[in-house]
Amino acid sequence: MNAIRVHEFGAPEVMRLEKVPEPRPGAGQVLVRVKAAGVNPVDTYIRSGMYPRKPALPYTPGADGAGTIESVGEGVKRVAVGDRVYTAGSITGSYAEHTLCHESQVHPLPNPISFTQGAAVNVPYATAYRALYQISHALPGEWVLVHGASGGVGVAALQLARAAGMTIIGTAGTEKGRKLVAAQGAHHVVDHHAPDYLERVLDLTGKRGVDVILEMLANVNLGKELSVLAQRGRVVVIGSRGTVEIDPRDTMMRDASILGMSLFNVPDRERASIHAALVAGLENGTLRPVVGQEIPLADAPRAHHAVMEPGAYGKIVLIP
Ligand code: NAP
């Protein structure tokens, strides 16, 4: 089968399409025929060699994908050959024509959701769900600022928060992105490059501030956004690409909390709960992943350049 292989850490161009033997599922494992693979920023950090978690070389990138079950190993009960699934983790990597998964890493993909949309589910929606419900404990009626709402995690957060009855302010850096943010559920949309946009956020809440901030670029925003938090406000640090200085007094004045999260830390039971909620949302129509770009698997380097560029618009997926 064809798979992207990385033999050394480095620039996107270290990813090459190669022929590798098709994996065979052992006990408790399934083989998925991949119809689309999701590209996440973390895939680029790992490929660069700068991320604390490093796979043994050579490896095939990717945890997210969607397709059909091709074969199952001994003892597999939750899925059968032919089932449509999305993957939430993979043993052999999802940037390939087939990917080997533990049975627990595949989840049903309800029929109206396409395979490309299915590839956009795992990391973005699980992150948004965990940030909203398991980390910040956001409640219906609260104000949520999705700080970076035009990308994979942001769109997922908009759909989840809107379905739950929160009031949402979403940000994006381009006109196209802001249109997407409005269409995906934000009640108010601001430009995170405008000099006065945080004042606008405060004004929108009648100067009260927001209850929850989902932060996609904390090294740029954390120092200034604490001042738009309401009393007992919570910031969830989802993304950060550097260091930042804050004034701790901004948290003291509001009894505010800064909460970090990493999807790698989610315990199994909480992960199962997240995916039960996501499958329900995909079934009942509240969750509809937005795919902005489909790129052939062989062009994976282009996808890694694109996911790190400004002007996000939903998800980038690879098509084997
Ligand atoms: P993405 O699809 O590339 O989207 C990036 C988002 O960040 C876009 O909405 C982009 O908006 C926005 N952004 C750019 N500059 C910004 C600024 N100055 N202020 C606020 N937002 C800004 O990436 P993603 O998949 O949504 O992931 C977002 C971040 O979360 C990444 O850093 C990723 O590594 C991280 N992440 C962390 C976890 C975790 O477990 N902690 C899990 C998933 C993702 P424009 O392009 O419109 O400017």
Side-chain angles (χ1 to χ4, degrees):
M1 68 166 185
N2 287 316
I4 293 292
R5 300 294 280 167
V6 173
H7 291 268
E8 56 176 334
F9 296 114
E13 288 67 30
V14 298
M15 294 188 291
R16 301 232 171 79
L17 194 69
E18 291 178 7
K19 292 267 181 224
V20 297
E22 198 175 290
R24 290 172 59 130
Q29 298 176 344
V30 301
L31 187 68
V32 178
R33 166 85 179 89
V34 179
K35 301 281 177 65
V39 175
N40 289 294
V42 71
D43 302 342
T44 74
Y45 314 152
I46 294 170
R47 184 221 67 237
S48 75
M50 307 300 276
Y51 201 64
R53 285 168 177 266
K54 289 187 191 53
L57 294 168
Y59 79 100
T60 295
D64 294 5
T68 52
I69 299 286
E70 183 107 333
S71 56
V72 301
E74 206 185 303
V76 168
K77 293 202 174 61
R78 281 178 57 241
V79 288
V81 171
D83 285 0
R84 303 171 87 247
V85 293
Y86 73 88
T87 68
S90 158
I91 301 164
T92 54
S94 64
Y95 290 17
E97 287 176 329
H98 291 91
T99 188
L100 189 67
C101 298
H102 296 294
E103 183 184 12
S104 60
Q105 291 175 319
V106 296
H107 302 280
L109 186 66
N111 236 324
I113 309 296
S114 68
F115 290 118
T116 51
Q117 288 177 303
V121 173
N122 175 44
V123 167
Y125 281 79
T127 301
Y129 187 92
R130 181 148 179 89
L132 275 174
Y133 294 112
Q134 296 178 340
I135 302 287
S136 71
H137 302 287
L139 293 170
E142 288 196 310
W143 280 78
V144 178
L145 171 62
V146 182
H147 213 165
S150 49
V153 179
V155 166
L158 295 174
Q159 295 176 359
L160 284 162
R162 183 72 190 229
M166 295 162 198
T167 304
I168 311 156
I169 304 173
T171 82
T174 64
E175 189 55 36
K176 193 178 167 204
R178 287 190 289 279
K179 280 195 180 136
L180 175 70
V181 171
Q184 294 305 316
H187 297 85
H188 309 279
V189 184
V190 296
D191 174 359
H192 49 232
H193 299 312
D196 60 348
Y197 79 103
L198 286 174
E199 284 159 42
R200 175 102 203 287
V201 167
L202 259 189
D203 288 345
L204 286 167
T205 65
K207 304 283 185 198
R208 174 186 170 274
V210 296
D211 301 289
V212 172
I213 300 177
L214 303 188
E215 181 49 63
M216 305 304 157
L217 201 57
N219 55 301
V220 171
N221 296 323
L222 193 61
K224 55 190 181 190
E225 72 194 353
L226 296 174
S227 61
V228 304
L229 275 179
Q231 284 291 321
R232 304 201 69 119
R234 296 88 79 197
V235 180
V236 185
V237 177
I238 296 173
S240 190
R241 294 179 180 166
T243 58
V244 64
E245 187 175 306
I246 67 161
D247 182 347
R249 189 162 290 278
D250 286 334
T251 63
M252 295 156 65
M253 286 166 62
R254 300 170 172 79
D255 285 8
S257 309
I258 301 170
L259 303 155
M261 68 152 281
S262 166
L263 213 48
F264 288 111
N265 296 334
V266 182
D268 287 347
R269 277 188 64 166
E270 289 171 47
R271 194 177 294 275
S273 170
I274 290 171
H275 288 286
L278 299 186
V279 171
L282 294 168
E283 274 171 359
N284 69 27
T286 52
L287 305 184
R288 285 288 177 268
V290 174
V291 175
Q293 274 192 77
E294 296 181 21
I295 294 178
L297 182 62
D299 293 343
R302 176 155 66 89
H304 274 208
H305 283 293
V307 77
M308 296 302 281
E309 278 161 13
Y313 190 92
K315 278 296 296 185
I316 297 171
V317 303
L318 293 168
I319 308 297

